[in-house]
Amino acid sequence: MFDIWKPEIFHGRRKEKNFFEGWYFKVVDHSEKNACAVIPGVSITGDPSKSHAFVMFLDARAQRMRYFRYPLDELKASDKKFELSIGGSFFSSERMNLTLGQGRGLITARISFKGTYPWPVKLLSPGVMGWYAFVPGMECYHGILSMDHSIEGFIEVDGTRTDFTGGRGYIEKDWGVSMPSSWIWMQTNHFDREGVSLSGSIAKIPWFGSYFTGYIFGFLYDKKLYKFTAYSGAKVTLLDVTADNTRIRLENKTYRLDIDADRSKGVDLPAPKLGEMTAKVNESLNSSINVDLLKKKGSGTELIYSGTGRNAGLEFVGNITELIKGLKK
């Protein structure tokens, strides 16, 4: 029960089938010439031969993804805080140590995270899901462990060591039965100054035999998190998606957030369906996102911030018509 207020910890204990859980660590070095995503997780299908733990390693600049598979009993997790080990690798909100593969295919890392900024957890709104976190049996739950933070340490791939000290990082996670059949996801925390970060998603949410389109966007600026979410009454007033561009406008009573995202070439990653890693999602870590945050004033607006986020993660999966229709429900 109290796990609801700890979205960061492992939720897969006592799950026997149709369950997945994955944490997403993004790290970009100071030069921005190196960008990686590391995704530890678990796939529980009910079939012992298919259920497994895993660590995905995406080298965004090399356009290469490696998938390391482990028996379930090689996953160890604390039930009190986010501390997770899979094989010889360790993950928490403070550090990430990797030992993946062997020989010429060896990947090692010793990375620490400083100044993390998690989405606030409150009594009636336990994290980014808001009150939906209390709804049992949802297809997918979501958590943001850090909108932005600095990183120290190194990653070594195939004998080549890269210093990531002075770079920026981001951490989130998902867990449940399946990822949505249609969704848009975006994230960037490389703007013209440190401490600015955008994270957002729009997704088809199954709901008692039907569905609606849910959305969760947060924009961190000047140490304040501006929230635009379906459960708080914000509205999506523009959604336009093409093969290489996504435009979104979100509004609440006080603020407006305009997003114009240009997508670059990505890499296919395995994604969960009924707990099994059989779906695919194409992810880029080299996209760019233009963001305008405005405050409403009478019949007009006042610009608070305008900037372009680099090294952006961007995904679009499924049917945009389905998402637009669900916004009208």
Side-chain angles (χ1 to χ4, degrees):
M1 172 62 182
F2 295 107
D3 290 357
I4 291 175
W5 288 276
K6 297 178 180 180
E8 70 278 7
I9 69 170
F10 179 51
H11 290 263
R13 224 173 295 277
R14 294 180 294 278
K15 299 292 185 180
E16 297 181 352
K17 64 178 181 179
N18 297 345
F19 180 82
F20 81 95
E21 189 160 5
W23 294 257
Y24 176 93
F25 293 79
K26 176 187 172 186
V27 291
V28 181
D29 76 340
H30 180 70
S31 72
E32 301 182 28
K33 294 179 180 178
N34 299 278
C36 300
V38 183
I39 308 172
V42 62
S43 168
I44 301 176
T45 69
D47 181 345
S49 68
K50 295 181 179 179
S51 297
H52 64 283
F54 61 84
V55 179
M56 281 187 259
F57 185 89
L58 169 62
D59 185 334
R61 301 300 184 252
Q63 294 282 295
R64 183 181 180 186
M65 188 279 296
R66 307 189 203 187
Y67 191 96
F68 300 90
R69 180 177 176 135
Y70 300 87
L72 279 180
D73 60 9
E74 290 199 34
L75 182 148
K76 310 294 182 184
S78 169
D79 58 1
K80 295 181 173 59
K81 59 182 178 178
F82 174 42
E83 289 187 346
L84 176 78
S85 62
I86 299 176
S89 299
F90 176 85
F91 306 89
S92 73
S93 296
E94 291 78 38
R95 62 188 175 97
M96 174 177 69
N97 296 339
L98 299 179
T99 304
L100 303 169
Q102 57 186 348
R104 294 186 62 184
L106 181 65
I107 299 173
T108 60
R110 299 293 182 270
I111 297 285
S112 61
F113 311 122
K114 305 293 183 181
T116 55
Y117 192 109
W119 191 288
V121 172
K122 300 180 180 179
L123 180 62
L124 299 179
S125 185
V128 70
M129 292 284 293
W131 63 264
Y132 283 105
F134 297 105
V135 179
M138 293 194 72
E139 181 181 48
C140 184
Y141 297 88
H142 187 58
I144 293 181
L145 282 60
S146 180
M147 291 284 294
D148 178 64
H149 52 264
S150 64
I151 56 180
E152 297 178 359
F154 71 88
I155 297 178
E156 185 171 311
V157 180
D158 301 335
T160 300
R161 178 172 293 197
T162 302
D163 185 8
F164 275 74
T165 299
R168 310 302 298 176
Y170 169 84
I171 312 171
E172 69 170 37
K173 67 170 297 192
D174 293 284
W175 70 100
V177 176
S178 301
M179 292 294 285
S181 60
S182 298
W183 85 82
I184 298 167
W185 172 84
M186 58 183 61
Q187 185 279 326
T188 175
N189 54 335
H190 279 83
F191 288 85
D192 55 356
R193 67 186 77 176
E194 290 185 359
V196 181
S197 178
L198 170 74
S199 179
S201 60
I202 300 178
K204 177 183 177 181
I205 311 297
W207 193 255
F208 298 103
S210 184
Y211 81 95
F212 68 94
T213 297
Y215 41 93
I216 301 170
F217 280 79
F219 184 65
L220 178 64
Y221 173 68
D222 199 19
K223 298 183 179 181
K224 178 178 178 179
L225 183 60
Y226 295 84
K227 304 172 186 176
F228 299 84
T229 65
Y231 58 79
S232 66
K235 301 295 183 183
V236 175
T237 55
L238 171 68
L239 178 59
D240 182 43
V241 180
T242 65
D244 54 9
N245 179 262
T246 298
R247 291 189 302 135
I248 304 170
R249 173 171 290 173
L250 300 113
E251 301 186 53
N252 58 29
K253 291 181 179 180
T254 308
Y255 300 101
R256 191 179 94 197
L257 188 68
D258 289 342
I259 298 168
D260 188 343
D262 291 322
R263 179 177 173 79
S264 66
K265 182 180 179 181
V267 177
D268 286 339
L269 304 179
K273 184 176 182 180
L274 298 178
E276 192 170 352
M277 303 298 286
T278 55
K280 292 287 184 183
V281 55
N282 188 273
E283 179 173 330
S284 161
L285 284 185
N286 199 31
S287 298
S288 64
I289 304 178
N290 300 309
V291 179
D292 290 335
L293 176 67
L294 306 103
K295 185 173 183 179
K296 296 180 178 180
K297 282 197 167 185
S299 59
T301 58
E302 176 187 346
L303 182 65
I304 298 174
Y305 177 80
S306 180
T308 299
R310 311 175 303 279
N311 307 302
L314 192 59
E315 299 172 355
F316 171 57
V317 176
N319 188 332
I320 183 62
T321 302
E322 188 175 54
L323 291 178
I324 294 173
K325 182 180 178 181
L327 287 171
K328 300 175 181 178
K329 294 188 176 184

